[in-house]
Amino acid sequence: MSRLNNKVAVVLGGAKGIGLAISQRFADEGATTWFTSRRDEELQAASRTLSGSTIPLRADVSQHSELTRIMAEVQARSGQLDVLVINAGMSEYATLDTINEAHFDQIFGLNVLSPLFALQAALPLLKPGASVVLIGSIADVIGTQGYGVYSASKAALRSFARTWTRELSARGIRINVVAPGPVDTDMMLAASEEVRNGLTAAIPLGRMGKPEEVANAVLFLASDESSYIAGAEICVDGGLTQV
């Protein structure tokens, strides 16, 4: 398998859960894969798990200066960037009556501002025809009690994909979104049991997804197999938002 042979990929938030599955899938397909986490223990654990050509990089992607540093290191050591996956994100429960500025700023800072400045920092490295995949969420089109700010942040990301597709079309750079539904990760475990059970019961396929199933969709959009797909959102949700 070599769908990403001789390509360089960066997976922001690529050391656990969906991000780890993406990092491994890319490496399996021949890419030199940089993956980030702000926690040393996550990077070490991921490095023990991953095979292929992978490069761990400790960075706090919520910081603009760190995003600039990441891209400078990639440029110095790899000289190019063919695929950028922006996976780092967070959710936190808060109903309308309890939301405060700190909650809003934290979620929008990581889920919205960080992707913006990550892509901005990557622009000089991205080759013509490069692929950028944003990890969104089906929360951008459904309402889930207590996750209003999180849902709004993912809707903003979906909107960015449309605008950036227009702005970067002259360079042939494709921007797409993969929107997972409920997936068996630590982030989903942080949700209440009531929320998890309610979501699972509503899924036509009758189960939560696996990180590897999301990674498969990301690989498709990262590869030349999706060369005529731009500005799109692929829902990996077991049919939850589709039927």
Side-chain angles (χ1 to χ4, degrees):
M1 305 288 280
S2 57
R3 279 176 278 187
L4 300 181
N5 199 33
N6 298 320
K7 293 191 176 184
V8 176
V10 171
V11 183
L12 300 179
K16 69 174 185 176
I18 290 172
L20 180 61
I22 294 168
S23 297
Q24 184 61 73
R25 199 75 176 88
F26 282 7
D28 289 344
E29 294 288 340
T32 297
T33 305
W34 296 70
F35 65 97
T36 76
S37 174
R38 63 187 178 91
R39 297 183 177 89
D40 285 327
E41 61 272 19
E42 287 183 1
L43 288 175
Q44 292 167 8
S47 294
R48 290 191 296 268
T49 300
L50 292 169
S51 59
S53 180
T54 57
I55 305 172
L57 185 60
R58 185 180 184 277
D60 181 354
V61 299
S62 69
Q63 302 299 313
H64 192 178
S65 60
E66 290 282 88
L67 294 167
T68 301
R69 178 178 65 83
I70 290 168
M71 299 309 164
E73 291 202 30
V74 173
Q75 184 173 38
R77 294 177 58 183
S78 295
Q80 67 183 57
L81 183 57
D82 302 279
V83 181
L84 173 64
V85 177
I86 303 176
N87 175 61
M90 67 167 294
S91 68
E92 184 178 75
Y93 182 87
T95 54
L96 178 60
D97 58 326
T98 63
I99 293 170
N100 55 35
E101 289 185 14
H103 170 83
F104 183 92
D105 290 345
Q106 186 178 28
I107 290 178
F108 262 69
L110 184 57
N111 293 5
V112 181
L113 283 179
S114 178
L116 166 62
F117 290 119
L119 181 55
Q120 188 180 77
L123 283 178
L125 281 76
L126 287 169
K127 294 179 64 179
S131 175
V132 178
V133 182
L134 311 176
I135 306 302
S137 170
I138 62 167
D140 65 0
V141 294
I142 64 174
T144 303
Q145 181 176 340
Y147 291 93
V149 176
Y150 171 73
S151 298
S153 74
K154 293 301 185 178
L157 200 63
R158 177 69 184 98
S159 179
F160 271 155
R162 292 186 170 100
T163 303
W164 294 342
T165 294
R166 289 288 187 185
E167 292 183 353
L168 299 177
S169 61
R171 293 177 55 183
I173 296 173
R174 297 182 298 110
I175 314 290
N176 289 292
V177 180
V178 168
V183 177
D184 191 11
T185 64
D186 290 343
M187 182 178 289
M188 182 54 63
L189 288 175
S192 69
E193 184 176 358
E194 180 182 4
V195 168
R196 294 197 305 273
N197 291 342
L199 286 171
T200 302
I203 298 170
L205 292 187
R207 63 174 178 84
M208 288 193 184
K210 302 174 183 177
E212 293 77 15
E213 292 173 311
V214 180
N216 289 338
V218 176
L219 172 63
F220 170 67
L221 291 175
S223 74
D224 293 338
E225 293 176 359
S226 60
S227 58
Y228 200 53
I229 298 177
E233 180 179 65
I234 294 180
C235 294
V236 185
D237 65 354
L240 179 57
T241 61
Q242 307 304 307
V243 299

